[in-house]
Amino acid sequence: MRERPQRPSFKRVALRQKELEKSTQWAQENDKTLRQIQESLAITDRHLTAYLTDHIDAQQIPQEAQKIHSELSSHDVTLGEMRKKKQDKEPPQRIMGQIDLTQKMLTDVWTKFRLFQKPANFEARLTECERTLNGVKGQAGMLEIGSVEHDVVQSQLEQCMKLYKVLSEVKGEVETVIKTGRQVVQRQQTEQPKELDDRVTALKLLYNQLGSQVTESKLALEKILKLSRKLRKELNGLTEWLATTDAELTKRSSVDGMPSDLEAELSWAQSIHDETERRQPQLQAVVDLAEALKALLRGHGSLVDDKVSLLRCNWIAVTSRAEEWLNLLLDYQRQMQKLDGGIEEVNGWIDGAEIKMNKMDSQGPNDAVLKVLRAELEMTRGKMEEVRALAQELMSARGENCQAQVRPKVEQLNQRYDAIAQRVTCGLTAASAKELEQYHSEAQIWLDLLEEEVKQGENLKEEDFQENKDCEEGAVKELLMKGENLQKRVPDEDKREQLRLKHNQLNSKYNTVKDLRLLRNRKALAIAPQWYQYKRKSHDLLA
């Protein structure tokens, strides 16, 4: 027999009824809550849209931002609980659709809120930083070193300091913008996070690059300016000294021949030589400074090489001329010293020869001494020729000042030499006994003749009226000269004294005769007409 189906119990029906009532109540409550959330989100969305449009950010109205954040967080919690409860129940499809719609609205508002949290002026600040750094980048090319001139480098350094100041002033802003940009990207406060991240990264790289470039340029320009100042100082000092030396050297060497004051000129030339040695380290300092500058110029070393090359050329030209002038003066000094030495040597021999000749003149001849002097004269003749040849060479090649100094010395030497050479060559040998005997004999004959005329006194005789009455005068004078010569040639003092007495006796007697003849001549002139008349009459009578 088939069993009859059991009818649901009243208890189960009541439970089911209660669950339906709860589900309906939950749906109604959720529906109400969702509408409230949607209305709140709509209001918040309108507010956020207005804030973004007016460029108002969360930092400007922090209390409002906190309120919005709290509301959105509360909505998140509410929707989360709804989704959790729906797992325990099977809510109507309509409710599930409303929850999803509300969740989407909440997500959109959260996105807009994050945009609201981003500083409103961030884009402008980022753009301004980019503009500032790009401006620095555009001017950084002016820091390229292309000159070592002080004014140019100074101008570049001033420009570099301006850029350095700009980077220093913008540093804090750049760091803030970079930090803010990173936060904006991380918090998804931008609709284009990758693009913003790339811009922030590029800003950081550009700032670091410019900072490094400007700092390096600043250090390099400061070093270049310091080195260029030193180089200019050393260059100007050397160039000025070389120019002054060259002008003075030209003035001194333009004189015809050699200078009149050789010692003063040698002193100046030697001082220039010493100064050249002293300034040699200064020239090396210029070379070292130039090398240091070239290391900083990076490919523009020719700017320094040209200056150093010009200085080297001037240095070589001027110092070489100065050295040549000094050597020329030293050579001239050696020649003059050689000439003076030769003159002194010849004069020394002449002095000695004169003493010996004077002694022979006073004491009588000395054949041995005279022989030695004549031998020395021959040897000195060669030295004298050397002196004359050197003097002639100097006077013909060394100009007027040299001639003025050398000619008087040589002329005086020539006169002395010719005189002593004449004396030595013509020096008297000792008189022989025969010559002395002959002189005494001739002198005695004339003394006797003159004595007879002295005895005649003033009495006239026929010879007094003759025209050639003094024909013996030449013979007496010749004998007197012979006596003087013999006195010089007699070495024996007694014989020389006898000779002197005889000579003086003859000279005195002859002077007496000349006086008497003068008196008789006057008388003869007084009576000459009568005498000549008497003479004619006597002649006529005899005829």
Side-chain angles (χ1 to χ4, degrees):
M1 188 176 164
R2 189 175 58 178
E3 294 182 359
R4 294 175 63 185
Q6 296 182 355
R7 295 176 64 183
S9 65
F10 178 79
K11 187 177 181 179
R12 291 176 61 188
V13 171
L15 182 60
R16 179 66 177 169
Q17 181 66 34
K18 188 176 181 178
E19 288 178 356
L20 288 173
E21 289 176 356
K22 286 183 177 180
S23 177
T24 300
Q25 184 181 2
W26 178 82
Q28 290 175 349
E29 290 175 355
N30 282 349
D31 187 56
K32 180 181 179 181
T33 300
L34 289 173
R35 283 197 306 272
Q36 290 175 346
I37 292 175
Q38 289 175 0
E39 290 174 0
S40 174
L41 289 174
I43 294 171
T44 301
D45 182 71
R46 287 195 299 272
H47 288 168
L48 289 174
T49 300
Y51 293 150
L52 293 174
T53 301
D54 295 337
H55 302 290
I56 298 174
D57 58 36
Q59 295 178 356
Q60 294 173 295
I61 47 176
Q63 293 180 350
E64 178 68 14
Q66 183 61 39
K67 177 183 175 183
I68 294 173
H69 184 272
S70 298
E71 289 178 355
L72 294 179
S73 298
S74 176
H75 295 332
D76 263 334
V77 172
T78 301
L79 289 176
E81 291 177 350
M82 286 183 179
R83 289 185 179 281
K84 184 177 180 182
K85 289 180 179 180
K86 82 173 183 176
Q87 295 176 358
D88 300 333
K89 302 177 181 180
E90 293 183 4
Q93 190 66 32
R94 184 183 64 81
I95 295 299
M96 289 304 301
Q98 287 297 317
I99 291 175
D100 292 339
L101 176 62
T102 304
Q103 183 65 55
K104 183 178 183 305
M105 287 180 65
L106 179 60
T107 301
D108 292 341
V109 173
W110 267 119
T111 299
K112 193 166 290 188
F113 178 73
R114 283 193 291 271
L115 295 177
F116 169 67
Q117 285 182 310
K118 181 179 73 172
N121 62 347
F122 173 74
E123 182 64 31
R125 291 169 67 186
L126 174 60
T127 302
E128 179 61 21
C129 287
E130 291 174 333
R131 186 193 66 79
T132 301
L133 294 185
N134 284 326
V136 172
K137 181 180 180 181
Q139 297 181 61
M142 299 173 61
L143 304 181
E144 182 67 26
I145 300 169
S147 174
V148 292
E149 295 299 329
H150 178 270
D151 294 341
V152 176
V153 177
Q154 180 66 44
S155 176
Q156 284 187 299
L157 181 58
E158 291 174 358
Q159 180 64 27
C160 181
M161 293 305 297
K162 290 179 181 179
L163 298 182
Y164 189 82
K165 182 180 179 182
V166 170
L167 290 177
S168 298
E169 291 174 347
V170 81
K171 178 181 179 182
E173 178 66 5
V174 170
E175 290 177 345
T176 300
V177 168
I178 292 173
K179 181 179 180 181
T180 303
R182 297 296 188 204
Q183 292 175 349
V184 168
V185 172
Q186 291 173 0
R187 296 171 182 175
Q188 297 182 348
Q189 295 172 346
T190 176
E191 296 175 348
Q192 297 175 322
K194 185 178 186 308
E195 180 182 344
L196 178 59
D197 186 62
D198 291 343
R199 288 179 66 188
V200 170
T201 300
L203 182 69
K204 179 179 180 180
L205 293 175
L206 180 59
Y207 180 82
N208 291 338
Q209 175 193 344
L210 291 175
S212 176
Q213 181 181 354
V214 172
T215 300
E216 289 179 3
S217 296
K218 173 178 173 291
L219 295 175
L221 287 169
E222 287 175 342
K223 289 182 180 179
I224 290 173
L225 187 62
K226 182 178 180 181
L227 290 173
S228 65
R229 283 173 178 167
K230 290 183 178 179
L231 180 63
R232 182 177 65 171
K233 179 181 178 182
E234 299 296 337
L235 273 172
N236 289 346
L238 278 177
T239 301
E240 182 178 353
W241 176 73
L242 288 172
T244 302
T245 302
D246 184 59
E248 185 66 19
L249 186 60
T250 300
K251 176 183 176 182
R252 290 173 179 268
S253 60
S254 62
V255 177
D256 180 30
M258 290 291 101
S260 56
D261 191 345
L262 178 60
E263 292 303 319
E265 194 65 29
L266 265 173
S267 176
W268 179 83
Q270 187 62 50
S271 70
I272 295 300
H273 175 79
D274 296 340
E275 183 68 9
T276 300
E277 293 294 324
R278 190 182 70 80
R279 287 184 178 269
Q280 191 71 41
Q282 189 177 3
L283 178 64
Q284 186 59 46
V286 169
V287 174
D288 294 341
L289 286 171
E291 290 300 321
L293 266 176
K294 286 168 64 177
L296 294 171
L297 290 175
R298 295 191 294 270
H300 294 85
S302 59
L303 297 172
V304 179
D305 288 337
D306 293 343
K307 293 179 178 292
V308 176
S309 178
L310 179 60
L311 177 66
R312 281 184 179 276
C313 290
N314 289 338
W315 173 275
I316 293 172
V318 174
T319 56
S320 296
R321 284 186 62 204
E323 197 67 20
E324 289 175 2
W325 180 241
L326 175 61
N327 291 334
L328 184 64
L329 293 174
L330 289 173
D331 182 62
Y332 176 57
Q333 183 187 50
R334 285 190 292 269
Q335 287 184 307
M336 290 296 290
Q337 289 174 345
K338 182 179 180 181
L339 177 66
D340 290 340
I343 291 175
E344 184 178 358
E345 182 180 344
V346 174
N347 272 326
W349 177 81
I350 292 175
D351 291 340
E354 285 180 341
I355 292 173
K356 293 176 182 179
M357 291 301 295
N358 291 338
K359 185 176 181 181
M360 284 191 290
D361 288 343
S362 62
Q363 298 180 1
N366 187 323
D367 291 348
V369 173
L370 190 61
K371 182 178 180 181
V372 171
L373 285 176
R374 286 174 176 170
E376 290 177 350
L377 177 63
E378 288 302 315
M379 291 187 293
T380 307
R381 197 183 306 278
K383 174 59 69 174
M384 188 63 189
E385 290 302 320
E386 289 181 12
V387 170
R388 286 170 175 166
L390 179 56
Q392 184 60 38
E393 178 186 348
L394 286 170
M395 288 190 292
S396 61
R398 299 299 191 178
E400 295 180 357
N401 291 326
C402 176
Q403 294 174 10
Q405 294 182 36
V406 172
R407 180 172 282 112
K409 295 180 181 179
V410 176
E411 288 179 350
Q412 182 184 27
L413 181 66
N414 282 333
Q415 291 174 359
R416 293 195 69 199
Y417 180 79
D418 291 343
I420 195 65
Q422 179 69 21
R423 289 183 67 185
V424 171
T425 301
C426 300
L428 301 176
T429 57
S432 63
K434 184 178 180 180
E435 287 180 294
L436 293 176
E437 182 181 353
Q438 183 180 359
Y439 174 76
H440 281 290
S441 175
E442 292 177 355
Q444 190 59 49
I445 292 173
W446 277 105
L447 282 172
D448 294 340
L449 291 174
L450 293 174
E451 179 61 28
E452 290 180 3
E453 191 168 348
V454 169
K455 290 178 180 180
Q456 179 185 343
E458 297 181 8
N459 298 322
L460 294 175
K461 58 181 180 178
E462 187 174 352
E463 288 81 356
D464 293 326
F465 294 95
Q466 296 177 358
E467 293 182 2
N468 297 326
K469 53 186 177 293
D470 294 331
C471 59
E472 76 281 2
E473 182 177 356
V476 175
K477 287 184 177 180
E478 183 178 351
L479 186 59
L480 287 172
M481 290 179 62
K482 184 177 181 180
E484 291 178 354
N485 182 270
L486 283 173
Q487 289 181 60
K488 297 177 182 179
R489 296 173 58 200
V490 176
D492 186 87
E493 187 174 350
D494 292 337
K495 291 181 180 180
R496 188 166 59 253
E497 180 63 20
Q498 293 175 8
L499 191 63
R500 186 184 66 78
L501 291 174
K502 182 70 73 174
H503 174 271
N504 290 342
Q505 187 180 6
L506 178 62
N507 187 47
S508 176
K509 187 71 70 175
Y510 180 63
N511 288 333
T512 300
V513 170
K514 286 196 296 182
D515 292 339
L516 290 172
R517 286 180 179 178
L518 181 61
L519 291 174
R520 292 201 302 271
N521 186 45
R522 289 174 181 172
K523 288 182 179 182
L525 288 175
I527 63 172
Q530 293 87 345
W531 187 84
Y532 283 118
Q533 185 178 5
Y534 168 76
K535 192 69 174 174
R536 281 196 299 272
K537 288 181 179 180
S538 298
H539 183 271
D540 292 341
L541 290 174
L542 293 174

